Amino acid sequence: MMTSPFSIPAQSRRIDPPRQRAAALRADGSVDDNDRSEIGPTPLAFAEWAALGLQVPQLATMREYRLQRICEQLAARDLGGILLFDPLNIRYATDSTNMQLWTTHNPARACFVAASGHVVLWDFHGCDHLSAHLPLVRELRSGASFFYFETGERTDEHARRFCAQVDELLRTHAGDNRRLAVDRIEVAGLRALDALGVQVQNGQAVTEFARLIKGPDEIRAMRCAVASCEAAIAEMRQAMRAGVTENDVWAALHGGNIRRGGEWIETRILSSGPRTNPWYQESGPRVLSDGDLLSFDTDLIGVYGFCVDMSRSWMCGGLEPTAEQKRLYRIAHEHIQVNADMVKPGVRFSELTANGHRLPESCRAQRYGVMFHGVGLCDEYPCIRYPEDFDAYGYEGELQPGMALCVEAYVGEVGGRDGIKLENQLLVTETGYEVLTHYPFEDSFLAA
């Protein structure tokens, strides 16, 4: 039987237990200390959630659930442990954050999780205090940086020094099991592990499957993140008017996210007028006029680090959409509604591809990259492809309760002026699905 990772001696905790018991706690179990290092939702977010009757997550049980999921994947794959560099995987394993965007391209943090549940976090130097509230982190270290900007011509030396620590941890906590999953690593680190006889395995499969099924507290956190995102979307709507730029509208989403305790946004995909076709044009200095179509995709990392990925298309100035805009909008709306209605446990990915709504042939060349994708701390496994892309990129799998998915469509004619982007976030339930995103669609586009 696997040793439980959750019974941690008091002396190894980073918060003194008597002091923790005496401290006032927020509804989610975090310490109610105005000067704390831990990030999290603001009073505005808590007030809005209370008004909506939302339950907040209990962070302690959410963290335990996630660590258990990783340990189960390691045990099932006969792995001694996993080494993580991806900031999102480190967040999942430890619920710690530190310069999330910066560390995506400067891998200065790492985490080792043994199959037994022992967690070691290498943080940026001088940053131990950022994880002081996390009792599941057994050891805090530094020195995981071995990328050229940080270590220059001494990169190989630093990689060997770091990997010697990993080797020692693997021997201590996994015995003779030399199989180590790694999600991503600099070339110097991979070579150093190989030289030590560590058998490096695919860590991305471990983390994607661990993150696949959301626990009850993760679902509560996601609902809260959606509510905060939609409040910020409403502020975007108020900011949209003739004379402002696309960037002005996009900034309202950023501002609303940050005010509520959200974290960052992965893209800035918002465009207006003729820039809505083709898709993937990011917000810029274009000035809006009444009658302009505006389409966007949030790609937002909100409160508790949860992604809210939804898309809407609006009309600036409240004018009547053209007949062509209505046609495109109705196609996109039908597309995501029909495809969402296929979602239930046991459905195969290939079935969703084969049986999904078909876009008009004239719009297929500019189809979105996926019909569905998973979502959690970011866009996650799986990607479910259109029929045109299945042979090249598709893979098989099955929907399960607890999976969160985004269903989406981009509809625009090749060479056309307008493009409509619609997307909803769903939760797979025991009997079907629940729509998590509730921001309304546009009656003016759907009316006859």
Side-chain angles (χ1 to χ4, degrees):
M1 178 178 292
M2 186 173 61
T3 303
S4 171
F6 309 126
S7 300
I8 299 176
Q11 64 267 24
S12 67
R13 296 181 183 272
R14 297 301 187 270
I15 297 177
D16 181 59
R19 180 180 176 185
Q20 188 176 24
R21 284 195 296 271
L25 300 179
R26 298 178 188 271
D28 57 11
S30 60
V31 177
D32 190 4
D33 178 355
N34 199 44
D35 299 324
R36 68 182 187 172
S37 297
E38 180 184 3
I39 65 174
T42 63
L44 172 61
F46 280 113
E48 290 175 340
W49 301 339
L52 292 170
L54 291 175
Q55 285 186 290
V56 299
Q58 293 303 298
L59 296 180
T61 54
M62 185 174 77
R63 292 161 181 160
E64 291 173 358
Y65 172 85
R66 288 173 168 176
L67 181 54
Q68 187 68 47
R69 289 281 302 177
I70 292 174
C71 292
E72 288 170 354
Q73 284 293 318
L74 294 174
R77 298 166 188 265
D78 189 28
L79 295 163
I82 187 167
L83 179 62
L84 306 171
F85 284 92
D86 187 316
L88 278 297
N89 286 333
I90 295 173
R91 177 66 177 271
Y92 186 83
T94 66
D95 205 23
S96 68
T97 64
N98 188 355
M99 304 180 290
Q100 293 292 81
L101 287 179
W102 191 83
T103 54
T104 61
H105 59 94
N106 294 292
R109 307 177 77 223
C111 177
F112 171 82
V113 181
S116 62
H118 189 89
V119 177
V120 180
L121 176 64
W122 289 265
D123 216 328
F124 199 65
H125 65 84
C127 291
D128 287 8
H129 58 289
L130 298 181
S131 302
H133 61 286
L134 297 170
L136 296 183
V137 176
R138 300 285 194 105
E139 299 179 49
L140 283 169
R141 304 185 183 189
S142 62
S145 301
F146 49 91
F147 51 98
Y148 199 84
F149 160 54
E150 181 86 359
T151 52
E153 298 300 327
R154 301 180 66 183
T155 294
D156 288 343
E157 170 195 339
H158 284 272
R160 288 192 295 269
R161 184 181 303 165
F162 171 79
C163 290
Q165 295 182 56
V166 175
D167 182 52
E168 177 266 326
L169 287 168
L170 192 63
R171 292 180 186 278
T172 299
H173 297 284
D176 294 334
N177 190 335
R178 305 292 290 157
R179 291 165 49 81
L180 176 71
V182 181
D183 63 349
R184 60 178 61 174
I185 192 169
E186 297 286 296
V187 171
L190 179 60
R191 288 174 175 163
L193 290 174
D194 286 342
L196 291 166
V198 175
Q199 300 171 29
V200 175
Q201 307 293 315
N202 182 358
Q204 292 187 29
V206 173
T207 56
E208 292 288 352
F209 276 91
R211 290 160 59 171
L212 182 66
I213 306 300
K214 277 60 183 178
D217 288 291
E218 290 187 291
I219 293 168
R220 295 184 187 103
M222 187 175 286
R223 289 194 180 109
C224 290
V226 167
S228 291
C229 177
E230 293 185 335
I233 289 174
E235 293 167 357
M236 286 178 71
R237 189 64 178 264
Q238 293 176 346
M240 181 185 65
R241 62 183 181 276
V244 306
T245 67
E246 293 172 350
N247 284 343
D248 291 324
V249 180
W250 191 247
L253 180 65
H254 269 278
N257 184 41
I258 296 299
R259 278 195 299 275
R260 291 167 174 84
E263 299 184 13
W264 41 285
I265 300 182
E266 294 204 286
T267 67
R268 46 187 289 173
I269 300 178
L270 176 148
S271 53
S272 62
R275 296 185 73 246
T276 60
N277 187 341
W279 192 234
Y280 289 114
Q281 300 192 59
E282 298 198 321
S283 69
R286 184 181 187 275
V287 178
L288 273 65
S289 299
D290 287 340
D292 274 343
L293 182 69
L294 182 141
S295 297
F296 65 91
D297 190 337
T298 58
D299 288 329
L300 178 149
I301 309 301
V303 293
Y304 300 117
F306 271 93
C307 181
V308 183
D309 193 7
M310 58 181 293
S311 301
R312 293 293 186 267
S313 293
W314 297 333
M315 179 64 68
C316 182
L319 302 185
E320 181 73 9
T322 67
E324 175 65 0
Q325 289 167 340
K326 287 185 175 183
R327 182 182 75 88
L328 297 173
Y329 195 100
R330 290 169 185 164
I331 292 169
H333 184 263
E334 181 181 13
H335 190 75
I336 66 171
Q337 296 292 102
V338 169
N339 288 348
D341 285 342
M342 296 189 294
V343 171
K344 62 181 179 180
V347 175
R348 308 290 290 175
F349 298 169
S350 57
E351 293 179 77
L352 295 172
T353 296
N355 300 328
H357 181 271
R358 292 292 278 154
L359 296 173
E361 189 170 351
S362 59
C363 297
R364 291 177 192 171
Q366 295 192 156
R367 65 191 175 277
Y368 199 66
V370 294
M371 295 171 61
F372 299 86
H373 66 78
V375 64
L377 296 182
C378 58
D379 290 356
E380 297 178 353
Y381 172 92
C383 281
I384 299 173
R385 305 287 179 172
Y386 281 95
E388 293 84 353
D389 305 312
F390 189 81
D391 286 345
Y393 295 103
Y395 49 80
E396 192 58 278
E398 183 177 292
L399 298 186
Q400 303 173 55
M403 290 174 62
L405 298 171
C406 290
V407 56
E408 52 190 314
Y410 172 76
V411 181
E413 298 277 352
V414 175
R417 173 184 169 86
D418 298 308
I420 298 293
K421 183 67 167 61
L422 299 179
E423 178 181 13
N424 268 343
Q425 197 156 316
L426 315 174
L427 175 70
V428 183
T429 65
E430 295 289 342
T431 57
Y433 70 94
E434 172 191 343
V435 179
L436 296 174
T437 43
H438 304 292
Y439 196 91
F441 294 106
E442 300 298 295
D443 290 339
S444 62
F445 284 82
L446 294 172

